[in-house]
Short mmCIF file of all heavy atoms in Angstrom, two decimals:
data_model
loop_
_atom_site.label_atom_id
_atom_site.label_comp_id
_atom_site.label_asym_id
_atom_site.label_seq_id
_atom_site.Cartn_x
_atom_site.Cartn_y
_atom_site.Cartn_z
N GLN A 212 1.83 10.32 6.72
CA GLN A 212 1.62 11.60 7.41
C GLN A 212 2.00 11.54 8.88
O GLN A 212 2.10 12.58 9.53
CB GLN A 212 0.15 12.01 7.27
CG GLN A 212 -0.83 11.11 8.02
CD GLN A 212 -2.27 11.49 7.76
OE1 GLN A 212 -2.79 11.28 6.68
NE2 GLN A 212 -2.90 12.06 8.77
N HIS A 213 2.20 10.31 9.42
CA HIS A 213 2.55 10.18 10.83
C HIS A 213 4.04 9.97 11.03
O HIS A 213 4.48 9.53 12.09
CB HIS A 213 1.78 9.02 11.45
CG HIS A 213 0.29 9.17 11.39
ND1 HIS A 213 -0.44 8.73 10.31
CD2 HIS A 213 -0.60 9.74 12.24
CE1 HIS A 213 -1.72 8.99 10.51
NE2 HIS A 213 -1.84 9.62 11.66
N GLY A 214 4.83 10.26 9.99
CA GLY A 214 6.25 9.99 10.05
C GLY A 214 6.96 10.64 11.23
O GLY A 214 7.91 10.07 11.78
N HIS A 215 6.47 11.80 11.65
CA HIS A 215 7.12 12.49 12.76
C HIS A 215 6.90 11.77 14.09
O HIS A 215 7.56 12.07 15.08
CB HIS A 215 6.65 13.95 12.85
CG HIS A 215 5.16 14.12 12.92
ND1 HIS A 215 4.32 13.73 11.90
CD2 HIS A 215 4.37 14.64 13.89
CE1 HIS A 215 3.07 14.01 12.23
NE2 HIS A 215 3.07 14.56 13.43
N TYR A 216 5.93 10.82 14.13
CA TYR A 216 5.70 10.05 15.35
C TYR A 216 6.44 8.71 15.32
O TYR A 216 6.41 7.96 16.30
CB TYR A 216 4.21 9.75 15.52
CG TYR A 216 3.37 10.97 15.81
CD1 TYR A 216 2.49 11.45 14.86
CD2 TYR A 216 3.45 11.63 17.04
CE1 TYR A 216 1.70 12.56 15.11
CE2 TYR A 216 2.67 12.74 17.30
CZ TYR A 216 1.80 13.20 16.32
OH TYR A 216 1.03 14.31 16.57
N TYR A 217 7.09 8.42 14.21
CA TYR A 217 7.68 7.11 14.00
C TYR A 217 8.60 6.69 15.14
O TYR A 217 8.48 5.59 15.69
CB TYR A 217 8.43 7.10 12.66
CG TYR A 217 9.30 5.90 12.46
CD1 TYR A 217 8.76 4.67 12.10
CD2 TYR A 217 10.69 5.99 12.62
CE1 TYR A 217 9.57 3.57 11.90
CE2 TYR A 217 11.50 4.89 12.43
CZ TYR A 217 10.95 3.69 12.07
OH TYR A 217 11.75 2.60 11.88
N ARG A 218 9.50 7.56 15.50
CA ARG A 218 10.49 7.20 16.52
C ARG A 218 9.89 7.14 17.92
O ARG A 218 10.46 6.56 18.83
CB ARG A 218 11.67 8.19 16.48
CG ARG A 218 12.46 8.11 15.19
CD ARG A 218 13.73 8.93 15.24
NE ARG A 218 14.44 8.90 13.98
CZ ARG A 218 15.22 7.90 13.58
NH1 ARG A 218 15.37 6.85 14.37
NH2 ARG A 218 15.82 7.94 12.41
N GLY A 219 8.74 7.76 18.11
CA GLY A 219 8.13 7.78 19.43
C GLY A 219 7.34 6.53 19.79
O GLY A 219 7.03 6.30 20.95
N HIS A 220 7.01 5.72 18.77
CA HIS A 220 6.20 4.52 19.04
C HIS A 220 7.08 3.38 19.55
O HIS A 220 8.21 3.19 19.09
CB HIS A 220 5.47 4.09 17.77
CG HIS A 220 4.58 2.89 17.98
ND1 HIS A 220 3.52 2.91 18.85
CD2 HIS A 220 4.62 1.64 17.44
CE1 HIS A 220 2.92 1.73 18.83
NE2 HIS A 220 3.57 0.95 17.98
N ASN A 221 6.55 2.62 20.47
CA ASN A 221 7.29 1.49 21.05
C ASN A 221 7.16 0.27 20.14
O ASN A 221 6.38 -0.64 20.42
CB ASN A 221 6.76 1.20 22.46
CG ASN A 221 7.56 0.12 23.16
OD1 ASN A 221 8.75 -0.08 22.86
ND2 ASN A 221 6.93 -0.58 24.08
N TRP A 222 7.92 0.26 19.06
CA TRP A 222 7.85 -0.83 18.10
C TRP A 222 8.41 -2.12 18.70
O TRP A 222 9.38 -2.10 19.46
CB TRP A 222 8.64 -0.49 16.83
CG TRP A 222 8.09 0.67 16.07
CD1 TRP A 222 8.56 1.95 16.07
CD2 TRP A 222 6.95 0.66 15.21
NE1 TRP A 222 7.79 2.75 15.26
CE2 TRP A 222 6.79 1.98 14.71
CE3 TRP A 222 6.05 -0.32 14.81
CZ2 TRP A 222 5.78 2.34 13.83
CZ3 TRP A 222 5.03 0.02 13.92
CH2 TRP A 222 4.90 1.34 13.45
N ARG A 223 7.79 -3.23 18.32
CA ARG A 223 8.30 -4.52 18.77
C ARG A 223 9.59 -4.87 18.02
O ARG A 223 9.73 -4.58 16.84
CB ARG A 223 7.26 -5.62 18.53
CG ARG A 223 6.07 -5.52 19.49
CD ARG A 223 5.01 -6.54 19.16
NE ARG A 223 4.21 -6.16 17.99
CZ ARG A 223 3.27 -6.93 17.45
NH1 ARG A 223 3.03 -8.14 17.94
NH2 ARG A 223 2.57 -6.51 16.41
N GLU A 224 10.51 -5.49 18.72
CA GLU A 224 11.79 -5.88 18.12
C GLU A 224 11.87 -7.40 18.03
O GLU A 224 11.38 -8.11 18.90
CB GLU A 224 12.96 -5.35 18.96
CG GLU A 224 12.99 -3.84 19.12
CD GLU A 224 13.29 -3.11 17.81
OE1 GLU A 224 13.82 -3.75 16.88
OE2 GLU A 224 12.99 -1.90 17.73
N GLY A 225 12.51 -7.88 16.97
CA GLY A 225 12.69 -9.32 16.80
C GLY A 225 11.53 -9.96 16.05
O GLY A 225 10.50 -9.33 15.80
N VAL A 226 11.72 -11.21 15.67
CA VAL A 226 10.70 -11.94 14.92
C VAL A 226 9.47 -12.16 15.79
O VAL A 226 9.56 -12.57 16.95
CB VAL A 226 11.26 -13.29 14.42
CG1 VAL A 226 10.16 -14.13 13.79
CG2 VAL A 226 12.37 -13.05 13.42
N ILE A 227 8.30 -11.86 15.23
CA ILE A 227 7.03 -12.00 15.95
C ILE A 227 6.54 -13.44 15.82
O ILE A 227 6.30 -13.92 14.70
CB ILE A 227 5.99 -11.01 15.42
CG1 ILE A 227 6.48 -9.57 15.60
CG2 ILE A 227 4.65 -11.21 16.11
CD1 ILE A 227 5.62 -8.53 14.90
N VAL A 228 6.39 -14.11 16.94
CA VAL A 228 5.90 -15.49 16.96
C VAL A 228 4.90 -15.63 18.09
O VAL A 228 5.20 -15.35 19.24
CB VAL A 228 7.05 -16.50 17.19
CG1 VAL A 228 6.52 -17.93 17.11
CG2 VAL A 228 8.17 -16.30 16.19
N GLY A 229 3.66 -16.03 17.74
CA GLY A 229 2.65 -16.26 18.76
C GLY A 229 1.95 -15.01 19.24
O GLY A 229 1.08 -15.08 20.10
N GLU A 230 2.34 -13.85 18.70
CA GLU A 230 1.65 -12.59 18.97
C GLU A 230 1.04 -12.11 17.66
O GLU A 230 1.58 -12.36 16.58
CB GLU A 230 2.61 -11.52 19.48
CG GLU A 230 3.22 -11.78 20.83
CD GLU A 230 4.17 -10.66 21.24
OE1 GLU A 230 4.30 -9.66 20.47
OE2 GLU A 230 4.79 -10.78 22.30
N VAL A 231 -0.06 -11.37 17.76
CA VAL A 231 -0.70 -10.85 16.56
C VAL A 231 0.26 -9.94 15.79
O VAL A 231 0.96 -9.11 16.39
CB VAL A 231 -2.02 -10.13 16.90
CG1 VAL A 231 -1.78 -8.92 17.80
CG2 VAL A 231 -2.75 -9.71 15.62
N HIS A 232 0.30 -10.10 14.49
CA HIS A 232 1.17 -9.28 13.65
C HIS A 232 0.64 -7.87 13.48
O HIS A 232 1.38 -6.90 13.55
CB HIS A 232 1.31 -9.97 12.28
CG HIS A 232 2.03 -9.15 11.26
ND1 HIS A 232 1.38 -8.43 10.27
CD2 HIS A 232 3.36 -8.91 11.08
CE1 HIS A 232 2.28 -7.81 9.53
NE2 HIS A 232 3.48 -8.07 9.98
N ASP A 233 -0.66 -7.73 13.28
CA ASP A 233 -1.30 -6.43 13.04
C ASP A 233 -1.09 -5.52 14.24
O ASP A 233 -1.45 -5.85 15.37
CB ASP A 233 -2.80 -6.65 12.79
CG ASP A 233 -3.54 -5.37 12.51
OD1 ASP A 233 -3.61 -4.98 11.33
OD2 ASP A 233 -4.05 -4.74 13.47
N GLU A 234 -0.54 -4.33 13.99
CA GLU A 234 -0.18 -3.45 15.09
C GLU A 234 -1.39 -2.81 15.77
O GLU A 234 -1.37 -2.56 16.98
CB GLU A 234 0.79 -2.37 14.61
CG GLU A 234 1.58 -1.71 15.72
CD GLU A 234 2.56 -2.64 16.43
OE1 GLU A 234 2.94 -3.67 15.86
OE2 GLU A 234 2.93 -2.31 17.58
N ASN A 235 -2.46 -2.54 15.02
CA ASN A 235 -3.68 -2.03 15.66
C ASN A 235 -4.27 -3.08 16.59
O ASN A 235 -4.69 -2.76 17.72
CB ASN A 235 -4.71 -1.62 14.61
CG ASN A 235 -4.48 -0.22 14.07
OD1 ASN A 235 -3.93 0.64 14.75
ND2 ASN A 235 -4.91 0.02 12.84
N ALA A 236 -4.34 -4.32 16.13
CA ALA A 236 -4.87 -5.39 16.99
C ALA A 236 -3.97 -5.59 18.21
O ALA A 236 -4.46 -5.84 19.32
CB ALA A 236 -5.01 -6.68 16.20
N ASN A 237 -2.66 -5.46 18.03
CA ASN A 237 -1.74 -5.57 19.15
C ASN A 237 -1.98 -4.45 20.16
O ASN A 237 -1.99 -4.68 21.38
CB ASN A 237 -0.31 -5.53 18.65
CG ASN A 237 0.71 -5.71 19.74
OD1 ASN A 237 0.70 -6.70 20.46
ND2 ASN A 237 1.61 -4.74 19.90
N PHE A 238 -2.22 -3.25 19.67
CA PHE A 238 -2.54 -2.10 20.51
C PHE A 238 -3.81 -2.35 21.32
O PHE A 238 -3.93 -1.90 22.47
CB PHE A 238 -2.71 -0.87 19.60
CG PHE A 238 -3.15 0.39 20.29
CD1 PHE A 238 -2.35 1.01 21.24
CD2 PHE A 238 -4.36 0.99 19.97
CE1 PHE A 238 -2.75 2.19 21.87
CE2 PHE A 238 -4.77 2.16 20.58
CZ PHE A 238 -3.96 2.77 21.53
N LEU A 239 -4.75 -3.10 20.74
CA LEU A 239 -6.02 -3.41 21.41
C LEU A 239 -5.92 -4.66 22.27
O LEU A 239 -6.93 -5.27 22.63
CB LEU A 239 -7.12 -3.58 20.36
CG LEU A 239 -7.46 -2.30 19.57
CD1 LEU A 239 -8.36 -2.61 18.40
CD2 LEU A 239 -8.10 -1.26 20.50
N GLY A 240 -4.71 -5.06 22.61
CA GLY A 240 -4.52 -6.19 23.50
C GLY A 240 -4.54 -7.54 22.80
O GLY A 240 -4.69 -8.58 23.45
N GLY A 241 -4.40 -7.53 21.48
CA GLY A 241 -4.40 -8.78 20.72
C GLY A 241 -5.78 -9.29 20.38
O GLY A 241 -5.91 -10.32 19.72
N VAL A 242 -6.81 -8.58 20.80
CA VAL A 242 -8.20 -9.02 20.59
C VAL A 242 -8.95 -7.93 19.83
O VAL A 242 -9.19 -6.84 20.35
CB VAL A 242 -8.92 -9.30 21.93
CG1 VAL A 242 -10.34 -9.78 21.68
CG2 VAL A 242 -8.14 -10.33 22.74
N SER A 243 -9.30 -8.22 18.58
CA SER A 243 -9.97 -7.22 17.76
C SER A 243 -10.85 -7.91 16.73
O SER A 243 -10.73 -9.10 16.48
CB SER A 243 -8.91 -6.35 17.06
OG SER A 243 -9.53 -5.35 16.27
N GLY A 244 -11.73 -7.12 16.12
CA GLY A 244 -12.60 -7.66 15.08
C GLY A 244 -11.94 -7.75 13.73
O GLY A 244 -12.42 -8.45 12.84
N ASN A 245 -10.83 -7.04 13.56
CA ASN A 245 -10.15 -7.03 12.25
C ASN A 245 -9.06 -8.07 12.14
O ASN A 245 -8.74 -8.53 11.04
CB ASN A 245 -9.56 -5.64 11.98
CG ASN A 245 -8.32 -5.36 12.82
OD1 ASN A 245 -8.36 -5.47 14.04
ND2 ASN A 245 -7.23 -4.99 12.18
N ALA A 246 -8.46 -8.46 13.25
CA ALA A 246 -7.34 -9.40 13.25
C ALA A 246 -7.11 -9.88 14.68
O ALA A 246 -7.70 -9.37 15.62
CB ALA A 246 -6.08 -8.72 12.70
N GLY A 247 -6.23 -10.87 14.80
CA GLY A 247 -5.87 -11.37 16.13
C GLY A 247 -6.10 -12.84 16.33
O GLY A 247 -5.56 -13.44 17.26
N LEU A 248 -6.92 -13.46 15.48
CA LEU A 248 -7.27 -14.86 15.66
C LEU A 248 -6.14 -15.77 15.19
O LEU A 248 -5.54 -15.56 14.14
CB LEU A 248 -8.54 -15.18 14.88
CG LEU A 248 -9.22 -16.51 15.22
CD1 LEU A 248 -9.72 -16.52 16.66
CD2 LEU A 248 -10.36 -16.79 14.25
N PHE A 249 -5.87 -16.81 15.98
CA PHE A 249 -4.93 -17.86 15.61
C PHE A 249 -5.70 -19.18 15.47
O PHE A 249 -6.65 -19.43 16.21
CB PHE A 249 -3.86 -18.03 16.69
CG PHE A 249 -2.79 -16.98 16.68
CD1 PHE A 249 -3.05 -15.69 17.12
CD2 PHE A 249 -1.51 -17.28 16.24
CE1 PHE A 249 -2.07 -14.71 17.12
CE2 PHE A 249 -0.51 -16.31 16.22
CZ PHE A 249 -0.79 -15.02 16.67
#
Side-chain angles (χ1 to χ4, degrees):
Q212 68 185 71
H213 300 89
H215 54 297
Y216 292 110
Y217 168 77
R218 294 189 183 280
H220 182 62
N221 185 26
W222 296 102
R223 288 175 284 176
E224 301 292 341
V226 173
I227 299 171
V228 184
E230 294 180 3
V231 62
H232 172 259
D233 181 89
E234 199 66 22
N235 277 332
N237 183 57
F238 175 64
L239 295 169
V242 181
S243 181
N245 73 306
L248 193 64
F249 283 73

